Amino acid sequence: MSNYVVGVTGGIGSGKSAICREFETLGIDVIDADVVAREVVIPGSAGLEEIIAHFGPDVLADDGTLNRKKLRDIVFGDESRRQTLEGILHPKIGTKIRSQLAASTSPYCLLCVPLMIERGNSYAVDRLLVVDCPEEIQIARVSKRDDLTREQVLAIMSTQATRQQRLDKADDVIMNDGPIENLTEIVGDLHRSYLSYCG
């Protein structure tokens, strides 16, 4: 088990996944809350069955998987429905994340949680790495990736911590506003630092 856990967070479209992939190439285990969130609602799972029970079968896609966009549309802007959904998912996600943390075998591991600042440090990470970029870059990336309008992206961003709130909590910051090649050296430097902290 990796006793030393580096939390990774950042706003939507900041490039958290790209950073995590760079660490993975160095042999570091990455536990990604977004991936876990998808795993707990696969067809046949208790998570998906509970969602159907609360929100109806319309949240399913034709192939029986969860239609995340339709569910997001249902809960977005409806606080009580959002809380219901979080009450179903968060305990299951938390249990799976803790079991993956316990199974990690790299010298340290990364725990990528998009809303780590908003939720508080509920996983008690040892260090917090914030992936940052200007808001206009966030908007451009998310609009292209998720086929959303500028207004839709801004609405999502408004539910997240501000850049400053994240930076105020950060132990380390990666400014991810350029080509991916720029990240390799930055990640390598941080990797050596993290190895020294957990050695």
Short mmCIF file of all heavy atoms in Angstrom, two decimals, residues 5 33 37 39 73 87 99 112 135 146 152 166 168 171 175 184 186 191 196:
data_model
loop_
_atom_site.label_atom_id
_atom_site.label_comp_id
_atom_site.label_asym_id
_atom_site.label_seq_id
_atom_site.Cartn_x
_atom_site.Cartn_y
_atom_site.Cartn_z
N VAL A 5 -0.19 9.86 -0.17
CA VAL A 5 -1.21 10.12 -1.20
C VAL A 5 -1.17 11.59 -1.60
O VAL A 5 -1.30 12.48 -0.75
CB VAL A 5 -2.63 9.76 -0.68
CG1 VAL A 5 -3.66 9.99 -1.78
CG2 VAL A 5 -2.68 8.31 -0.20
N ALA A 33 -11.43 9.54 -9.31
CA ALA A 33 -12.82 9.51 -8.81
C ALA A 33 -13.83 9.48 -9.94
O ALA A 33 -14.89 8.87 -9.81
CB ALA A 33 -13.07 10.70 -7.89
N ALA A 37 -16.57 6.69 -10.35
CA ALA A 37 -17.99 7.09 -10.43
C ALA A 37 -18.70 6.38 -11.58
O ALA A 37 -19.89 6.06 -11.47
CB ALA A 37 -18.11 8.60 -10.59
N GLU A 39 -17.70 3.38 -12.71
CA GLU A 39 -17.70 1.95 -12.38
C GLU A 39 -18.84 1.57 -11.44
O GLU A 39 -19.37 0.45 -11.52
CB GLU A 39 -16.36 1.57 -11.73
CG GLU A 39 -15.19 1.60 -12.70
CD GLU A 39 -13.84 1.40 -12.02
OE1 GLU A 39 -13.77 1.43 -10.77
OE2 GLU A 39 -12.84 1.23 -12.75
N ASP A 73 -29.03 16.55 -16.65
CA ASP A 73 -30.09 17.53 -16.94
C ASP A 73 -31.19 17.49 -15.87
O ASP A 73 -31.77 18.52 -15.52
CB ASP A 73 -30.70 17.26 -18.33
CG ASP A 73 -29.73 17.59 -19.46
OD1 ASP A 73 -28.73 18.28 -19.21
OD2 ASP A 73 -29.98 17.13 -20.60
N GLY A 87 -26.32 11.14 -2.45
CA GLY A 87 -26.52 10.18 -1.36
C GLY A 87 -26.41 8.74 -1.84
O GLY A 87 -25.99 7.86 -1.08
N SER A 99 -10.65 1.30 -1.07
CA SER A 99 -10.11 -0.03 -1.35
C SER A 99 -9.00 0.04 -2.38
O SER A 99 -8.00 -0.66 -2.29
CB SER A 99 -11.24 -0.96 -1.74
OG SER A 99 -11.14 -1.37 -3.03
N CYS A 112 -7.13 11.50 -7.85
CA CYS A 112 -7.68 12.61 -8.64
C CYS A 112 -9.16 12.77 -8.31
O CYS A 112 -9.97 11.89 -8.61
CB CYS A 112 -7.48 12.34 -10.13
SG CYS A 112 -8.02 13.70 -11.17
N GLU A 135 -9.29 30.65 -17.37
CA GLU A 135 -10.69 30.23 -17.56
C GLU A 135 -11.07 30.15 -19.03
O GLU A 135 -11.86 29.28 -19.42
CB GLU A 135 -11.62 31.17 -16.80
CG GLU A 135 -11.50 31.00 -15.29
CD GLU A 135 -12.47 31.85 -14.50
OE1 GLU A 135 -13.23 32.64 -15.11
OE2 GLU A 135 -12.48 31.71 -13.26
N ASP A 146 -16.97 18.30 -24.83
CA ASP A 146 -18.31 17.85 -24.44
C ASP A 146 -19.42 18.42 -25.30
O ASP A 146 -20.60 18.20 -25.01
CB ASP A 146 -18.57 18.21 -22.97
CG ASP A 146 -17.60 17.51 -22.02
OD1 ASP A 146 -16.94 16.55 -22.45
OD2 ASP A 146 -17.50 17.93 -20.86
N GLN A 152 -23.25 26.95 -21.04
CA GLN A 152 -23.34 25.69 -20.30
C GLN A 152 -22.06 25.43 -19.51
O GLN A 152 -22.11 24.99 -18.36
CB GLN A 152 -23.62 24.52 -21.26
CG GLN A 152 -25.04 24.50 -21.80
CD GLN A 152 -25.22 23.47 -22.91
OE1 GLN A 152 -24.40 23.37 -23.82
NE2 GLN A 152 -26.29 22.70 -22.83
N ARG A 166 -8.90 27.30 -5.16
CA ARG A 166 -8.07 26.11 -5.34
C ARG A 166 -6.60 26.43 -5.09
O ARG A 166 -5.89 25.69 -4.41
CB ARG A 166 -8.25 25.54 -6.76
CG ARG A 166 -9.51 24.71 -6.94
CD ARG A 166 -9.53 23.98 -8.26
NE ARG A 166 -9.69 24.88 -9.38
CZ ARG A 166 -10.87 25.25 -9.89
NH1 ARG A 166 -11.98 24.77 -9.37
NH2 ARG A 166 -10.93 26.08 -10.90
N ASP A 168 -5.32 28.71 -3.30
CA ASP A 168 -5.07 28.99 -1.87
C ASP A 168 -4.82 27.70 -1.08
O ASP A 168 -4.15 27.72 -0.05
CB ASP A 168 -6.25 29.74 -1.25
CG ASP A 168 -6.30 31.20 -1.71
OD1 ASP A 168 -5.31 31.69 -2.27
OD2 ASP A 168 -7.36 31.83 -1.51
N ASP A 171 -0.58 22.79 -2.43
CA ASP A 171 0.82 22.65 -2.06
C ASP A 171 1.70 22.79 -3.30
O ASP A 171 2.82 23.30 -3.23
CB ASP A 171 1.07 21.27 -1.43
CG ASP A 171 0.32 21.11 -0.11
OD1 ASP A 171 0.56 21.91 0.80
OD2 ASP A 171 -0.53 20.20 -0.03
N MET A 175 0.70 24.78 -14.04
CA MET A 175 -0.02 25.63 -14.99
C MET A 175 -0.07 24.90 -16.33
O MET A 175 0.94 24.72 -16.99
CB MET A 175 0.69 26.99 -15.12
CG MET A 175 0.08 27.89 -16.18
SD MET A 175 -1.69 28.22 -15.95
CE MET A 175 -1.63 29.37 -14.59
N THR A 184 5.96 17.14 -19.32
CA THR A 184 6.82 16.01 -18.96
C THR A 184 7.89 16.42 -17.96
O THR A 184 8.09 15.75 -16.93
CB THR A 184 7.47 15.41 -20.22
OG1 THR A 184 6.42 15.06 -21.14
CG2 THR A 184 8.26 14.17 -19.89
N ILE A 186 7.93 19.13 -15.99
CA ILE A 186 7.31 19.60 -14.74
C ILE A 186 6.90 18.41 -13.88
O ILE A 186 7.16 18.37 -12.67
CB ILE A 186 6.07 20.48 -15.05
CG1 ILE A 186 6.48 21.72 -15.84
CG2 ILE A 186 5.33 20.86 -13.79
CD1 ILE A 186 5.32 22.47 -16.46
N HIS A 191 7.62 14.50 -9.44
CA HIS A 191 7.78 13.08 -9.13
C HIS A 191 8.98 12.86 -8.21
O HIS A 191 8.88 12.15 -7.20
CB HIS A 191 7.94 12.29 -10.44
CG HIS A 191 8.24 10.84 -10.27
ND1 HIS A 191 7.39 9.96 -9.64
CD2 HIS A 191 9.33 10.10 -10.65
CE1 HIS A 191 7.92 8.74 -9.65
NE2 HIS A 191 9.10 8.81 -10.25
N SER A 196 10.94 11.83 -2.63
CA SER A 196 11.74 12.22 -1.46
C SER A 196 10.87 12.39 -0.22
O SER A 196 11.28 12.10 0.90
CB SER A 196 12.53 13.50 -1.73
OG SER A 196 11.69 14.64 -1.73
#
